[in-house]
Amino acid sequence: MTKDNLLSRISIDPNICFGKPCIRGHRIWVSLILGYLAGGMAIEEILEAYPSIEREDVLACLAYAAEVTGDYYVEIPLQKKEQAAT
């Protein structure tokens, strides 16, 4: 499945879920699925929790994230390690 085919599974409608990107035909936010994946949840576990979506929907969420972050980034501040007291 091509990236464009995957991205066609994502919809953004200002009248649905406050305009947040969702899996087309569902009110399941892309960010929700990405959060599950980032937390270590397997695609199979997500599909069990949301039986109305397909594997390609989860991959579409990843494709969307890749597209959005391609030209945009958020700076992550580096934290200094605490120095041990001597």
Side-chain angles (χ1 to χ4, degrees):
M1 181 165 274
T2 68
K3 180 178 75 169
D4 287 339
N5 287 344
L6 286 173
L7 289 174
S8 71
R9 291 175 168 265
I10 303 300
S11 66
I12 300 172
D13 182 335
N15 298 312
I16 299 173
C17 294
F18 311 105
K20 291 188 176 212
C22 294
I23 296 172
R24 186 171 301 286
H26 302 277
R27 292 178 179 264
I28 301 171
W29 297 350
V30 168
S31 61
L32 176 71
I33 300 300
L34 293 173
Y36 286 149
L37 292 169
M41 198 173 208
I43 291 175
E44 293 74 23
E45 293 174 297
I46 294 170
L47 296 176
E48 286 177 22
Y50 297 92
S52 63
I53 66 173
E54 301 173 346
R55 178 180 178 79
E56 288 77 12
D57 294 322
V58 177
L59 296 177
C61 293
L62 289 170
Y64 180 83
E67 190 70 21
V68 169
T69 60
D71 292 327
Y72 178 80
Y73 67 94
V74 175
E75 295 225 11
I76 300 173
L78 299 175
Q79 295 179 354
K80 295 180 180 179
K81 293 184 181 181
E82 292 183 33
Q83 296 184 10
T86 55

